[in-house]
Amino acid sequence: MPTLTIDGIEVTVPDKTNLIEAAKMVGAEIPHYCYHPGLSVAGNCRMCLVEIEKAPKLAIGCFTPCQEGMVVHTSTEKVLQARKDVLEFLLINHPLDCPVCDQAGECWLQIYYMKHGQYESRMMEDKIKKHKKATAIGPTVTLDQERCILCARCVRFCDEISKTSELGIFNRGNHAELDVFPGKELNNKYSGNVVDICPVGALTDRDFRFQCRVWYLDTQDSICPGCSRGCNIQVHYNLDRPHHAEGRRVLRLKPRFNPEVNKYWICDEGRYGYKFIDDESRILMPQVMRNGGMEFVSWDEALKASAEKIKASIPEELGVLASPQLTNEELYLIRKLFVEELGATQVEFRVPPKEEGYSDDYLVKADKNPNTKGAEEIGLAVGSAEEILKAAAEKKLSALVIFVHNLVNSGLDDSLVKAALEGVETLIFIGSNFSDTSEKANVILPSATYAEKSGTFANSEGRVQRIHEAVPPLGESLPEWQILNELARALGLDWDYQGTEHIFAELAKDVPAFANLTYEILGDQGQTLGYVPPAEEEALVEHGELEAVRAT
Amino acid sequence: MAVEFPPEVKREFDELVAKYEQTRAALLPVLHLAQREFGYISPEVEEYVAGLMELPPTKVHEVVTFYTLYHKTQPGKHVIRLCKTLSCHLLGAHTIKDHLCRKIGLENGHGTTPDGRFTLELVECLGACEFAPMMQVDERYYGPLTPEKIDEIIDGLTDEPVVENVDEG
Ligand code: SF4
Ligand code: SF4
Ligand code: FES
């Protein structure tokens, strides 16, 4: 644990901390391009030069480990001049692309140039022309070689994280170019991450390119619902520019750092899996079967119709298929309403997938649901989906409530599904998008997607993490927890849940695994099930001290 | 053409690799071996070498494209490297170049002749300023050059590459 002085502030840092990280701790920013905390250190861009007392020349902050007694200056005149010079070099062959460059607004050449730019250009030579401009180098990424500053972050990502080594820097000197091997593609399960770490506009996302200027984007923290890993993400959206991106509101997902879950990365399946949020298949209004056809109705009518059907069923005739796509708060209300209040016994959340999902030894999990663990803890695995469907097929159920699932394309036997969906008298579907299953329903209640509501998911390791509403529910759709609250009221119960935090507090009291957890404790990085708070007496001591301090 | 070392070259490869602690360290000599065997280093050759050495093909391509002494396309039967650095320049490398180009039938001053016999590269100092102006043909140095000397050298070439030996004429 060396102690050193940075810009006059003394700081003690863990062993092997480099100067860039140490400077962050005292609030000083050392500009850098090639350094990325999730990758090995390359030391090639020279942007991070700092002055160290008693050292003969400037040193790079990324590759210099902190040492006892070091005295470091991050913004002396010499350092500032060095940054200017490095930037001048980096820009020698850089095109004047900002107006047409997708990176503009989040480009580290632009950002650092504002502060450390030369401004008066001294370059008279012709620029070296590179080969690939706006060229797709794989299914997800577009390459623009003349914008590349050869920091090799993307190369190291493919060597060290995806372990696919598709990228290299070819030729040399000012002819050096970032590229794929001749005739090959950048194509791996994590390829989109190279766009995030490219500090400039050399690698851009084919999916997001030209959809929206980045300064029009708002962001909201969330959790990827793509699998049970529960990668931390940011939802980037725009509500004011319906003329962009065919009116889509959610425009891209970005990884959000969580050392316990996904570090700096997400997989491509998760990254590009957001399209259903603004898809044409969204269900926008409640619908009820009337005179042989589905009719749009108001929420009141739809809830009333649902409540009537549910009331008419005795507990044994009521089937419920909850979903591990739902939040803990919603699953808890499902249990409370259907199991505890109505006494249903045919309740389950697991529906086997058609085929085993892709998984690897890094992030991606085979279970494509974000909240299987939560559903298990809350206790919704009572029967089995197959048994429930058998009962429906044999006309032993009078009402079946299906949340989210599309049974038609699942691992369940096709003929059983068909017989069940047709055999049950009342099929209530609660979900966000139309499917072959919603087709068969006589009541459809439109629900919000994960980007349109708040709540929590528990990942496969039992880490409970929060999602937040980024965009409002589309059309008349509502979060499931709200639908359940309203349905309970329509059934004559005096439920009045005001928000998900309210539900979570009750859940934490009721379900042992969730004990002691609160939204505050979950924070933005989550907390594991079975959480034990700091020992009570410790808290008391602290409390006592606090009181003592207050008294003086 | 399937890219593969014949058995005796494969043996040479194994010997080369055995000299180094890490396989990867043998990459430069292995590429020279491959160039000798296949004439030039195409992406197919890179992939073959990468496979033998258990390296990603991109790493081999990085090395091949970094060094000018690896040919990326089929060179002529003879590779001529004419020095363009200071001593040779002062002693008339320019006139020598013009004459040489006319002699071998090369129009744009560098590259490979249409008959595929010669490749001309203009290179930096070859460390033989005492022969200035000088050139290297295949593995042999020639100098000091005059137009007459050029004619003599070119006319005297067979289809076989010239082997290493300094002509002090
Ligand atoms: S493409 Fe981007 S990440 Fe890759 S070397 Fe160039 S600037 Fe760096
Ligand atoms: S690994 Fe799973 S949770 Fe993470 S981004 Fe991919 S699909 Fe989403
Ligand atoms: S960040 Fe230190 S040299 Fe690039």
Side-chain angles (χ1 to χ4, degrees), chain A residues 4-53:
Chain A
L4 69 165
T5 311
I6 302 175
D7 293 345
I9 304 173
E10 212 175 78
V11 60
T12 303
V13 300
D15 289 334
K16 292 193 185 136
T17 306
N18 69 17
L19 291 179
I20 294 185
E21 295 299 333
K24 274 184 204 160
M25 295 180 198
V26 304
E29 195 213 4
I30 300 178
H32 56 274
Y33 287 113
C34 67
Y35 172 70
H36 188 285
L39 302 171
S40 66
V41 174
N44 61 30
C45 75
R46 319 311 284 185
M47 190 62 192
C48 63
L49 289 166
V50 293
E51 201 169 341
I52 302 173
E53 282 185 16

Side-chain angles (χ1 to χ4, degrees), chain A residues 292-496:
Chain A
M294 291 302 274
E295 273 180 24
F296 294 118
V297 295
S298 69
W299 267 109
D300 278 348
E301 284 173 276
L303 288 165
K304 201 164 143 240
S306 309
E308 267 165 22
K309 300 289 183 191
I310 291 171
K311 249 192 214 147
S313 317
I314 55 168
E316 292 71 33
E317 289 176 355
L318 181 58
V320 179
L321 274 179
S323 163
Q325 290 283 331
L326 300 180
T327 62
N328 291 310
E329 291 76 353
E330 291 159 346
L331 293 166
Y332 173 72
L333 292 191
I334 290 175
R335 186 185 95 177
K336 189 167 170 180
L337 178 62
F338 290 102
V339 181
E340 289 163 21
E341 297 287 354
L342 301 172
T345 51
Q346 311 257 38
V347 181
E348 176 54 55
F349 74 93
R350 290 164 301 188
V351 169
K354 188 163 200 124
E355 45 199 49
E356 169 92 3
Y358 169 84
S359 65
D360 59 26
D361 57 3
Y362 196 50
L363 295 181
V364 188
K365 297 279 185 188
D367 176 5
K368 297 302 167 197
N369 296 296
N371 200 25
T372 299
K373 185 86 186 158
E376 280 167 4
E377 293 296 346
I378 289 164
L380 283 172
V382 186
S384 88
E386 207 169 349
E387 277 166 32
I388 297 177
L389 293 192
K390 266 192 198 134
E394 288 161 14
K395 303 208 187 293
K396 288 185 191 148
L397 291 188
S398 61
L400 176 59
V401 186
I402 300 179
F403 289 87
V404 187
H405 292 292
N406 183 7
L407 304 178
V408 177
N409 240 319
S410 70
L412 293 167
D413 182 60
D414 277 348
S415 49
L416 172 65
V417 170
K418 195 162 178 272
L421 297 183
E422 274 159 18
V424 71
E425 211 179 288
T426 303
L427 180 63
I428 302 176
F429 179 81
I430 305 178
S432 59
N433 295 62
F434 285 113
S435 68
D436 293 338
T437 302
S438 68
E439 291 284 275
K440 300 270 190 280
N442 4 47
V443 179
I444 298 179
L445 305 180
S447 68
T449 63
Y450 78 101
E452 299 162 330
K453 64 186 179 189
S454 301
T456 58
F457 292 143
N459 76 0
S460 59
E461 271 143 34
R463 173 167 291 266
V464 184
Q465 308 185 96
R466 292 177 66 186
I467 60 169
H468 302 271
E469 176 180 325
V471 293
L474 203 62
E476 289 186 22
S477 66
L478 290 174
E480 275 89 346
W481 67 265
Q482 241 167 302
I483 299 176
L484 287 157
N485 188 56
E486 296 310 317
L487 186 60
R489 293 171 73 89
L491 282 160
L493 299 164
D494 63 343
W495 284 20
D496 188 16

Side-chain angles (χ1 to χ4, degrees), chain A residues 224-231 266-271 363-365:
Chain A
C224 172
C227 82
S228 61
R229 164 72 61 176
C231 289
I266 53 174
C267 77
D268 287 357
E269 210 176 302
R271 182 185 300 265
L363 295 181
V364 188
K365 297 279 185 188

Side-chain angles (χ1 to χ4, degrees), chain A residues 218-322:
Chain A
D218 289 309
T219 69
Q220 181 59 279
D221 288 356
S222 194
I223 299 298
C224 172
C227 82
S228 61
R229 164 72 61 176
C231 289
N232 290 211
I233 56 167
Q234 256 186 357
V235 177
H236 287 195
Y237 64 94
N238 176 287
L239 295 177
D240 313 321
R241 310 186 89 72
H243 51 291
H244 277 178
E246 290 118 36
R248 280 188 291 120
R249 303 167 300 162
V250 174
L251 292 163
R252 65 177 180 183
L253 305 181
K254 287 279 187 186
R256 181 164 58 88
F257 179 63
N258 188 329
E260 303 296 330
V261 182
N262 56 307
K263 308 221 166 57
Y264 302 90
W265 324 115
I266 53 174
C267 77
D268 287 357
E269 210 176 302
R271 182 185 300 265
Y272 302 116
Y274 67 89
K275 295 271 167 69
F276 74 99
I277 298 168
D278 291 310
D279 193 68
E280 281 183 1
S281 63
R282 281 299 298 273
I283 308 172
L284 300 176
M285 279 182 75
Q287 293 171 41
V288 170
M289 173 79 79
R290 268 183 200 158
N291 318 320
M294 291 302 274
E295 273 180 24
F296 294 118
V297 295
S298 69
W299 267 109
D300 278 348
E301 284 173 276
L303 288 165
K304 201 164 143 240
S306 309
E308 267 165 22
K309 300 289 183 191
I310 291 171
K311 249 192 214 147
S313 317
I314 55 168
E316 292 71 33
E317 289 176 355
L318 181 58
V320 179
L321 274 179

